[in-house]
Amino acid sequence: MPTFNIIQAVNDALKLEMRRDARVVVLGEDVGRFGGVFRATSGLYEEFGPERVIDTPLAEAGIIGTAIGMALYGLRPVPEIQFADFIYPAFDQIVNELAKFRYRSGGQYTAPMVIRTPYGGGIRGGHYHSQSPEAYFAHTPGLKVVIPSDPYDAKGLLLSAMRGEDPVIFLEPKRVYRAARGEVPEGDYTVPIGKAKVVREGRQVTVLCYGAMVHTVMEAVSKGLTQDFDPEIIDLRTLLPLDTETVLASVRKTGRLVIAHEAPKTCGYGAELAALVAEKALLHLEAPILRVAGFDTPFPYTLENEYLPSPERIAKAIAETANF
Amino acid sequence: MPTFNIIQAVNDALKLEMRRDARVVVLGEDVGRFGGVFRATSGLYEEFGPERVIDTPLAEAGIIGTAIGMALYGLRPVPEIQFADFIYPAFDQIVNELAKFRYRSGGQYTAPMVIRTPYGGGIRGGHYHSQSPEAYFAHTPGLKVVIPSDPYDAKGLLLSAMRGEDPVIFLEPKRVYRAARGEVPEGDYTVPIGKAKVVREGRQVTVLCYGAMVHTVMEAVSKGLTQDFDPEIIDLRTLLPLDTETVLASVRKTGRLVIAHEAPKTCGYGAELAALVAEKALLHLEAPILRVAGFDTPFPYTLENEYLPSPERIAKAIAETANF
Amino acid sequence: MVLKNQGPTDEPPYWLLEEDGRVRQGGQPPELNDEAALRLYRNMLQVRLVDERMMKLQRQGRLGFYMESVGEEAVHMAVHALRSSDWVFPSYREPGALFYRGYTLQRYVNQLLGNAEDSIKGRQMPVHHSASDLNIVSISSPVGTQIPQAVGMAWAARIAGKDDLALTFFGEGTTSTGDFHVGMNFAGVFKAPCIFVCRNNKWAISTPATVQTAARSFAAKALAYGFPGVRVDGNDLLAMLAVMEDAVARARAGDGPTLIEAVTYRLHGHSSSDDPGGYRHPDEAKEWSRRDPIERWKRHLMVRGCWSEAIETRYREEITEELQKALTHGESVPPPAAATLFDDVFATLPPHLAEQRQDLLAQPRPVHPLGPHSPHGH
Amino acid sequence: MVLKNQGPTDEPPYWLLEEDGRVRQGGQPPELNDEAALRLYRNMLQVRLVDERMMKLQRQGRLGFYMESVGEEAVHMAVHALRSSDWVFPSYREPGALFYRGYTLQRYVNQLLGNAEDSIKGRQMPVHHSASDLNIVSISSPVGTQIPQAVGMAWAARIAGKDDLALTFFGEGTTSTGDFHVGMNFAGVFKAPCIFVCRNNKWAISTPATVQTAARSFAAKALAYGFPGVRVDGNDLLAMLAVMEDAVARARAGDGPTLIEAVTYRLHGHSSSDDPGGYRHPDEAKEWSRRDPIERWKRHLMVRGCWSEAIETRYREEITEELQKALTHGESVPPPAAATLFDDVFATLPPHLAEQRQDLLAQPRPVHPLGPHSPHGH
Ligand SMILES: Cc1ncc(C[n+]2csc(CCOP(=O)(O)OP(=O)(O)O)c2C)c(N)n1
Ligand SMILES: Cc1ncc(C[n+]2csc(CCOP(=O)(O)OP(=O)(O)O)c2C)c(N)n1
Ligand SMILES: [Mg+2]
Ligand SMILES: [Mg+2]
């Protein structure tokens, strides 16, 4: 099995699916000749040509709006938004149009597509190359939200997403785009959407995370910062629909919960996870639910590492809950 | 004291402030000659003229984008978005620009403004005249989110918002625009931003709500649906910054919490409230935290009353928590 | 001074029909046989009669909300130039385009009432139709969103090697949106076979067209995107058809998009929630009502000699009867079942929605009446 | 065929300076004394020298990210036509406009380094400057957002009865955004005293200008908004100044906005993260480097007789020295204190941020080094 990083895994999934399904087209800024600013679409233009690998004008609303029209007609567009921070000009097309098409037409029209976009901090990107907008989309009925943390899941989840019948916001953790490497089977396989993965079994504290945070949490473990405890670490992989069973089963077992994400704490996805547990597993809780998240400020430049949840902050929260 | 409905209270606040502060300008679609589709700006054009009460082209991004420029220059714009459902074309200007200007310029530039917009269901508006987008904005650092539920607060909070130094998303509950009537002092007074209001004292269950939901919750009480219990009902009035003290004090007293809002449940503002309590008052909780919210579907037309939290659904949740 | 302003003036719109219904001297009318001419007439007439009846219903409180097209019916007939395999992306004000493609009055009424037989299951406000069987795309409220979508569909057809094209309708106010710009721009760059019909009915709710742009015309905006824009008298059906024929020919030939500014007038209120008395002088509408597109077409039919009182009465009776039948049935149909609330959010019901569905079905069906009537501003 | 395409052709841009630096026959140059001419030269030279040095720094890993303007310096000098009370809304690629208005190299370097003396407190990536004391508005990454903001500021000045105006810079790729459209449209409708300078440097990262529009020129887009658009040779400083003078006169006189398409070329990569070798032929850049705006201006100064080797050397030495000083100091300044992370979110610190501030200060300051270097795609 070849060893890939996440970019290579994404690229491999796109190639495979475009070979398998002639309806799949890729569009976005600089995705064609250049192969994307992160190279995730490199080689596609050469293999599939300008009609299926499309360099667009600089307009996210145009990319998503036209992708919707393509999908309505029967193509399977996979638009790329160059950075998640630039997705907001397309917000209306995503939340008012894409998310509602099937519902508002009584099932007559659907626009299945996968919106790929790199997200998250850790690359010294400041305000506009670091944001984590997952909660906006998880709050919008009609969208699925998928976030891989490693190459294997990136390929398998992307293939599932491209074969599904629903719009998917596919957020790629760019901090670990190249850093996260792993064996990836050649050829076809899928990872189901809606299933979380227990990356470390444990009995004492449940830690919920996704994307690059999975690596930060594991770093806390590998650094021995959590050695006095026995955390169970879960990579959610899909935020919507959430794998409620896996989450609740773990919390019922450990009775303690820490949630880690990069997005600002207030109304972040961690709030939903905490609320879910406070509704469905309250009596199992032996300690307050702690959220280790980005602070409620815009994403800074110089102080990025103060802003981002660090292994130390996560370990501290684990210790606090465990010792509560 | 005159008796006003919310529209009249908003109109009164705008008039007062425009007389007091020449920097205040109102802009939006149909807000001028016509006085706004809900009449909230009626009479302003006649009194303050076309330079301060501006009918704009049909472009929300233009309304907010130009309002930001006006605010940077020293005016105090009060843009109106005709329906909250149409705010998304301006989402980038709001979350990437307005919310971040002070921060990203190190305090050099600020764009204080109040974005007024009617929100919520109950007027048979279907997908696009019913939405409750508050969580999107509460999740965006740099924005304040204010939601009055009655005429007194509408006027007092709007005056505070217009005199503040920060951008405020001012969501007006249009279902009770005319239905909610009450005495409103003539002339100047303010209601502080960041302070919740206990609308009914009680000992058994804390009920958190805001906007039109306050009336639905009170309807459950007045209908006698909650008579076997003694709910403490809190109108949050400001979602960001939240009056954490009032919320926690109540929950510590009652040990039970029900949250009601119209927005979809998943990642709605209720999730943040539940997470807050699960972090800071867990040991006081004697029952699971229940959220009575809009379902996780787009906002329907015919089945609107099935969708919206009803007094019955809220009462059922109160009973469940109380009897837990 | 090195700066100069060039480009099209607001030259009078292209027209073909004299007020008396004759084709103007030297005008080149498109081919059209009497049967087709009558069919167009009947469709416009249907729009007019349906609007009248629905407004009455709305006033009686039997309908939540309604939007009329009085005076703009000829623009709707732009679809005449299309094949049935072509797609239409309408706004909320082109019911004639739906009727012409075979959207029945029963279906129309069911949507307005949002009853259990509504083909969109009562999901949207009145006038937000959808008919995939007729290649009529689900209508949205946020204006302009359909424009880039239409471009995407047209572009997809080209990619798929089909010669289907897209037609999208929108009002002049909608040209101010970002979506208009990005849609038009993508269409120009990719030569998408998409036809943009801008209904310049002079008003966007209470906002006059003069507040929407300082350009000399809306057609002139096409210059910013590198394809032709043309102004046409939107109350002159023959001119509409001629311009559409050219636009369709261009699109099919792979020559790309066309912007058509159809100059017309919104004779009535923006919607059932609106009263134009608040913002415009009644004389304006009086003036324009003299240019009624249906009357003008009727005079043309007379010139052709294919109109008669008998035909007129028959059409009116047929339409009124079909409409009455549709209403009687439509109003007898119950609302959709509560459980349907959770269908079509996703292709299959995810666990959290299944749970919410259970919760709802456990509740007593709400008894309190529907709230006050529908929103202004739409 | 009733359709026709009118409007400006892509006629050669307006120009004044011959390659040899003389003013062309019959050209009407704006008034400019030698002192001003030299000042402009020194500013352009500073941009060039600073870019060179910063790219070296970036390669050495001493700078997270950088964006050059090599070849586009003359466009930056558009601000020469403004008063200091006028406002500038730049994009990330007009440092010359900042220098010309008095933005010091120390301040420039502090921002790039994001150190404790950075006047925006290390909040943004390099090249996202802000200088309210110079009426230079905070630079954003999302392209085009500054356009409606500039219009709003200009419009506000008029409402406030002042004659201040706004100048905004953006690239040709940015004309594809919705914000460009709504900003231009509002400016036209409200006759805002706003000048739009579109730097058509032919590339948007790897995307050629031909993919951004099918219009015959970017200047032509002004027709859609009812005000003048003009193409000017952006490598011809004298022509830039002439066009700007006209635009400023129009704006001050209350005649409204002007769109200026400055035709130039991005000689180097989009940013320090970009390698143009991947998408364009090097000959293109070679060809354009022959039209270097700084060289051209230098020849003009020679013609004027106010340039000398001595001056050249002095300028270069002064700039290099000031830059070295700025770097030495800038790199010696520590990063901002962790506590500052929570300032300026709101006018005053709300309780939840006060609490988060405490939490952070309770943590050991993170030891792990900064991550990999800055993003592509910006
Ligand atoms: C994005 C958006 N903003 C505001 C509205 C509210 N609104 C509904 S129709 C309308 C006016 C549209 O005018 P025009 O485009 O000329 O179409 P017409 O109604 O004249 O047919 C407005 C402002 C909306 N539907 N969508
Ligand atoms: C809204 C948005 N989308 C995408 C990007 C990523 N991006 C940064 S610069 C750029 C190209 C801009 O090209 P142009 O407007 O021509 O300016 P230039 O870089 O040539 O000066 C892109 C796509 C962005 N910054 N903002
Ligand atoms: Mg109109
Ligand atoms: Mg460029």
Side-chain angles (χ1 to χ4, degrees), chain C residues 323-355:
Chain C
L323 181 55
Q324 187 48 56
K325 272 236 230 46
L327 278 169
T328 316
H329 177 69
E331 288 186 314
S332 76
V333 176
T340 65
L341 189 56
F342 303 89
D343 302 338
D344 305 317
V345 180
F346 296 104
T348 57
L349 196 71
H352 68 291
L353 283 177
E355 184 188 321

Side-chain angles (χ1 to χ4, degrees), chain B residues 132-167:
Chain B
S132 297
E134 64 272 15
Y136 294 135
F137 300 112
H139 183 50
T140 305
L143 301 175
K144 292 184 172 178
V145 181
V146 175
I147 306 181
S149 68
D150 63 35
Y152 180 89
D153 286 348
K155 178 176 173 180
L157 286 166
L158 183 51
L159 283 169
S160 293
M162 290 189 287
R163 294 170 190 182
E165 296 302 317
D166 299 305

Side-chain angles (χ1 to χ4, degrees), chain C residues 242-362:
Chain C
V243 170
M244 272 299 297
E245 221 172 60
D246 283 357
V248 168
R250 274 178 46 78
R252 290 248 200 260
D255 297 336
T258 304
L259 171 63
I260 297 171
E261 175 188 354
V263 181
T264 179
Y265 188 81
R266 198 195 76 210
L267 282 172
H268 289 187
H270 171 71
S271 75
S272 55
S273 320
D274 178 43
D275 168 18
Y279 51 80
R280 72 185 189 188
H281 196 288
D283 292 354
E284 203 179 274
K286 259 203 220 73
E287 165 59 29
W288 273 91
S289 53
R290 282 208 238 85
R291 309 189 214 161
D292 186 322
I294 301 182
E295 284 306 309
R296 193 144 156 212
W297 192 245
K298 184 203 250 178
R299 288 193 290 275
H300 177 61
L301 296 182
M302 291 170 171
V303 171
R304 282 170 164 266
C306 65
W307 181 89
S308 71
E309 280 296 351
I311 290 175
E312 178 82 17
T313 341
R314 198 180 85 237
Y315 284 175
R316 288 178 176 271
E317 283 169 4
E318 287 170 356
I319 294 164
T320 317
E321 193 187 324
E322 188 188 346
L323 181 55
Q324 187 48 56
K325 272 236 230 46
L327 278 169
T328 316
H329 177 69
E331 288 186 314
S332 76
V333 176
T340 65
L341 189 56
F342 303 89
D343 302 338
D344 305 317
V345 180
F346 296 104
T348 57
L349 196 71
H352 68 291
L353 283 177
E355 184 188 321
Q356 294 180 11
R357 192 161 172 273
Q358 263 181 347
D359 292 355
L360 174 62
L361 298 183

Side-chain angles (χ1 to χ4, degrees), chain A residues 246-318:
Chain A
T246 303
V247 169
L248 292 178
S250 177
V251 174
R252 293 199 177 104
K253 177 175 68 176
T254 63
R256 294 177 155 82
L257 176 57
V258 168
I259 301 157
H261 62 64
E262 295 183 20
K265 181 181 183 183
T266 298
C267 286
Y269 190 75
E272 178 57 34
L273 293 168
L276 175 81
V277 169
E279 178 182 340
K280 302 203 182 288
L282 186 86
L283 297 194
H284 297 81
L285 284 176
E286 289 155 30
I289 298 171
L290 296 187
R291 290 177 284 168
V292 185
F295 297 116
D296 287 315
T297 76
F299 200 103
Y301 176 67
T302 308
L303 296 175
E304 165 167 54
N305 290 307
E306 281 72 7
Y307 181 87
L308 284 171
S310 60
E312 293 73 18
R313 264 174 72 199
I314 290 163
K316 187 156 170 286
I318 291 172

Side-chain angles (χ1 to χ4, degrees), chain A residues 17-32:
Chain A
E17 195 61 8
M18 290 184 81
R19 285 175 194 151
R20 202 186 69 85
D21 184 347
R23 300 171 305 167
V24 176
V25 299
V26 163
L27 68 160
E29 293 154 11
D30 307 294
V31 299

Side-chain angles (χ1 to χ4, degrees), chain A residues 44-65:
Chain A
L44 300 183
Y45 182 90
E46 292 72 9
E47 179 171 349
F48 304 102
E51 297 242 295
R52 291 183 66 195
V53 186
I54 304 159
D55 282 316
T56 67
L58 205 177
E60 288 72 17
I63 293 166
I64 302 303

